[in-house]
Structures are given as structure tokens and as C-alpha cells.
Amino acid sequence: MASKFQAPRGTFDVLPEQARSRARLERAATTIFSRAGYEPIATPAFEDTALFERGVGKSTDIVRKEMFTFEDKGGRSLTLRPEGTASICRAYLEHGMHKLAQPVKLSYLGPFFRHERPQAGRYRQFHQLGAECIGADSPLADAEVIMLLSDLLAELGVPGVELRLGSLGSFEARRAYLDDLKAHLHDHEGELSQDVRERIDINPLRAFDSDDEGTRGVMATAPTIVGQLEGEDAEHFEEVRALLDAAGISYVVDSTLVRGLDYYTRTIFSFVCDQLGAQSEIGGGGRYDGLIEQLGGKPTPAVGFAAGIERILLALDEEVPAPGRDVFVAIADPEQRGQAMALAVELRGAGFSVEVDLAGRGLKGQLKHADRIGARQVLILEADGGAQLRDMKTGEQRAADTGKLVEEMTGGES
Ligand code: AMP
């Protein structure tokens, strides 16, 4: 009977058959992070609301519309984390990580929450994996985090991936550019959507993301920052590109690329996948040299990325088969239940995957069940005290010594 309860709108259950490909993804990510020295960090699922207002930016869609904010019993305003970088920077400062050898390289994986309109690839609780490299301004750091995500997607075999690369310049260059852009938008105010018009002065970059036809027309002739990069900003971008070229990572320079968060400076990037329809971004990130200072620390350069686990899984669209079992211990007589369990425990201790019947089936039913769960061998404890080991693929059966079961299993494998 169906329950009257359902998972809340925009959330989902991860069922065992889906958990397998998720686990494969998580293992691949953990391996890639650890090989490059990105140590795992975990932060709370909720934080002070002000951290995200400051760290993500008051003018962003995330802070304006998408946060799950609530008051706790002590009257504090808390918010379920909508992204990971602000929390990690908070932890970096709180734990004095600026005193460690720099850069500090961290990685994470976990649930995030945004009150968005749910659709395929867009949920209210979703999962991200990501990496942050805090305390390095070298273009090597930018290239390294881009390579981490590129390697992960390649290793998993995600099809149809394209890397888009841009640069917003340093804070000063970005400010000068934003003045040019605002002037352009004010010149064409009448052609813009209301949402963009209202935000000309607080977040003009978002106009590049608009779906509105009039706005798109205005943006086609808007100045772009990539075309105006100068001095160290231009050199930094050139070097990131040269490092990616040397690593054989292909990309397109996208001068209209903007990201949803306020804190980016210089490098920004986005991995998109042509298998994904409307929500085509798999992951992205960039350099955020001003964020740590914004949160009360000393100016500290940093760069990182986040990728959506559900988007990667959607793009992979794979079914990982159930792993099967090494052994099923079947019994001819219900009295042998205890012995079967003891043997299962012994074999599990030796590293085998082993099941016993928990449903009181007869011997025939047990053999059927062993087949159903993909057991490669069945150990049949016979009523007269003997034991048989049956190979489920060939149907061959031989006498087994339950006193030397671990040796039997390793010797008896086909
Ligand atoms: P962002 O933190 O906005 O840069 O997002 C990084 C990545 O997280 C995106 O590229 C998506 O893959 C994923 N993502 C962001 N929001 C959602 C959402 N509401 N549902 C599922 N995945 C998301």
C-alpha cells in the first residue's frame, strides 16, 4: 500500500540501484582529490544566514530568492547551505588555516539546498562535490582545479562535455568594466526585461544569463571583459590557457560567461554537457581573491570549483549491476540456522560477501533465492551433517569440509 507521505517537492530518494553509480562517482572523486593532495573537509549543513549574504552576495539569485532560511529557538537566523565555498572560507578563518603552509587544498562532497523551481537536473536538495585551493594566486592553481574536474569527468566517461573559460579580471579591472557595462545597459534600458533593468546597478553581469529576447539583443553588443583584460590580468589568463593547452585540455573562451555568485575575480569556468537539456551545466567555478577578506580575513587569493553530482549521474545515465554474493549458506533442516549463521560470520570475517536465509524458506526456496541475489556459490548444509558446495554457474557440486571453509572457498573458486 502506498504511503500517504511523499518525499518533499524538489527532493528525491536514492534507491539502492541508484546508489551504486553514485558510489562509483564518489570513489572516483575521492581518489582524484587525494592524489592531488586535496584533503577532505566537512562543514555543517546550516550556517549563520549572514555568512551567505556576505559570502555569496546579496544581489545574487541564491540569496535573493533561493535560501532555506529559518530562525532557531534562540532567535538566530540560520540558513541551509546553498553552496560550499563560503562555509569553507569561514572554516579556514575560524581554524587559523592561514597559519599553515599555503595553499591549503581542500575537497568536499555533500548535500546543498536551494529553493528553486524543480525540474530535471534541478532540485531543492542536491549534492555537490568540489575542491578549493586557498592561499595561491598562481595560474597553476587555477589550472590544477580545472584539471581535477576535467580528469574526473574523463575518468567517469561523461559524454559530450565542453569546458568554457573566461576571466573577470582583478577587482579593479572588474569594477571599471562593470561601469562600462552599466552605461551600456542604461543606454538600452527600454529594451531590457524588468528583472535585468532592476538590477543594472547591483548585478549587471547577470544580464548575460538572461533568456529574454530584448535583453539578449542588448547583450549581443555589450562590451566584454575578456576583450579588455590588461597587464597582470591578461598575463594570468594567458598562463592559465597555456597550462591547459600543455595538459591537452580543450576549452572555448567564452567572453559572456558569468557565474551565479558575486565573489569571482579573474578566472571563471564552466563545464557543460550536451546530454543534459536546459540544466546543462555540470560544474564550474573560478578564482575568488576577495572572499576571505570579505569574511573578515586578510586578503587571500583562492580558486575552486563545485560540480553537481545529480547532473553528472544524469549525463552518465548508467546502470551499475548489483554486485552479487560470493556465497549463500543454505540449510536442509531449520535446526541448522545457528550453524549457518556462524559459518556466514566466519566467511564474512575472511572478506567474502555472504548471506543466509532470513525468511524461513525450504531448501528449494533457498536455492532459488540464492540464484535471485546472484550468489556465485551455495554452501548446502545437509541434514546428515555433511556439506556440499555448489557452483551456481556450472551447477557442479562437491563435498565441502566446514572445518576448513575459508581454504575450501579460495581453492574451490572457478
Ligand atoms: P553553483 O554552486 O551554482 O556554481 O553550481 C555548481 C553546480 O552545482 C552546477 O553546475 C550544477 O551542476 C549543480 N547545481 C546547482 N544548483 C543545483 C540544483 N538546484 N539542483 C541540482 N544541481 C545543482
Side-chain angles (χ1 to χ4, degrees):
M1 196 175 74
S3 153
K4 63 178 175 175
F5 295 113
Q6 292 182 336
R9 184 164 150 76
T11 70
F12 52 86
D13 299 306
V14 179
L15 301 175
E17 55 270 29
Q18 296 146 354
R20 289 193 288 269
S21 72
R22 199 169 268 264
R24 181 173 93 89
L25 188 168
E26 292 179 2
R27 272 196 305 274
T30 309
T31 306
I32 282 172
F33 288 151
S34 115
R35 276 190 206 142
Y38 285 72
E39 297 269 359
I41 182 168
T43 59
F46 54 85
E47 299 265 2
D48 278 345
T49 301
L51 173 70
F52 299 119
E53 286 173 351
R54 237 167 196 246
V56 179
K58 275 197 160 154
S59 68
T60 58
D61 282 349
I62 293 180
V63 172
R64 277 166 33 116
K65 305 185 214 158
E66 298 169 3
M67 297 209 297
F68 281 95
T69 297
F70 59 98
E71 205 172 90
D72 75 359
K73 291 191 165 60
R76 297 170 203 91
S77 178
L78 298 171
T79 293
L80 297 183
R81 59 184 189 177
E83 58 97 56
T85 306
S87 309
I88 290 179
C89 289
R90 194 262 311 133
Y92 174 90
L93 289 170
E94 186 172 335
H95 302 287
M97 289 190 231
H98 58 283
K99 292 188 221 123
L100 304 174
Q102 303 294 299
V104 173
K105 303 197 295 182
L106 301 166
S107 61
Y108 63 93
L109 199 154
F112 293 87
F113 308 86
R114 294 183 194 173
H115 200 288
E116 297 196 79
R117 197 166 44 76
Q119 62 182 85
R122 201 211 265 153
Y123 312 99
R124 291 187 173 170
Q125 175 173 344
F126 56 100
H127 298 76
Q128 286 185 340
L129 56 89
E132 314 287 357
C133 177
I134 305 177
D137 60 10
S138 166
L140 279 166
D142 307 51
E144 181 166 271
V145 297
I146 293 173
M147 282 178 213
L148 290 178
L149 184 50
S150 167
D151 284 354
L152 175 64
L153 299 176
E155 167 139 355
L156 292 168
V158 179
V161 174
E162 182 180 273
L163 167 59
R164 296 185 183 156
L165 190 66
S167 174
L168 297 171
S170 60
F171 248 177
E172 298 71 48
R174 179 177 154 161
R175 196 166 315 136
Y177 164 70
L178 290 182
D179 286 342
D180 285 355
L181 182 60
K182 284 178 203 168
H184 177 78
L185 293 172
H186 280 301
D187 284 349
H188 297 87
E189 265 191 62
E191 298 149 62
L192 300 173
S193 70
Q194 189 189 345
D195 195 43
V196 170
R197 196 162 53 236
E198 278 171 5
R199 279 196 282 173
I200 294 181
D201 291 309
I202 49 171
N203 197 349
L205 282 174
R206 297 300 293 171
F208 282 112
D209 266 355
S210 175
D211 293 331
D212 172 69
E213 211 173 307
T215 307
R216 290 179 85 92
V218 174
M219 298 324 285
T221 58
T224 64
I225 192 156
V226 174
Q228 298 184 9
L229 290 177
E230 285 180 346
E232 286 182 11
D233 286 342
E235 275 168 38
H236 196 277
F237 190 49
E238 274 314 304
E239 221 176 307
V240 173
R241 294 184 55 177
L243 288 162
L244 295 177
D245 291 338
I249 294 180
S250 53
Y251 56 85
V252 291
V253 172
D254 182 348
S255 55
T256 67
L257 188 62
V258 289
R259 307 226 6 103
L261 315 167
D262 264 2
Y263 48 58
Y264 290 113
T265 50
R266 291 194 165 164
T267 312
I268 47 173
F269 58 92
S270 169
F271 284 82
V272 292
C273 172
D274 62 16
Q275 314 281 305
L276 282 180
Q279 301 303 315
S280 64
E281 195 196 74
I282 281 202
R287 184 161 273 290
Y288 49 95
D289 291 347
L291 180 57
I292 301 257
E293 193 181 4
Q294 180 79 11
L295 298 180
K298 290 212 195 80
T300 308
V303 59
F305 78 81
I309 290 182
E310 288 75 27
R311 301 252 176 109
I312 298 177
L313 293 173
L314 276 171
L316 280 174
D317 191 24
E318 67 177 2
E319 266 180 41
V320 175
R325 306 289 178 276
D326 295 319
V327 192
F328 186 90
V329 185
I331 50 176
D333 181 342
E335 293 292 308
Q336 294 166 305
R337 282 182 303 195
Q339 192 197 352
M341 187 52 115
L343 289 170
V345 168
E346 182 190 339
L347 285 171
R348 286 172 186 165
F352 294 99
S353 58
V354 189
E355 287 198 47
V356 295
D357 177 46
L358 301 176
R361 296 180 177 89
L363 184 56
K364 218 168 140 202
Q366 291 175 59
L367 290 174
K368 208 168 149 198
H369 188 62
D371 191 42
R372 192 160 43 215
I373 63 169
R376 284 173 280 281
Q377 303 189 79
V378 179
L379 178 71
I380 304 167
L381 303 184
E382 293 170 313
D384 63 4
Q388 297 279 326
L389 201 55
R390 177 191 287 210
D391 182 315
M392 293 297 275
K393 202 152 65 190
T394 61
E396 274 169 36
Q397 203 161 295
R398 63 186 167 84
D401 180 351
T402 50
K404 293 195 207 134
L405 211 45
V406 173
E407 290 96 307
E408 290 269 14
M409 299 304 305
T410 33
E413 257 175 13
S414 52

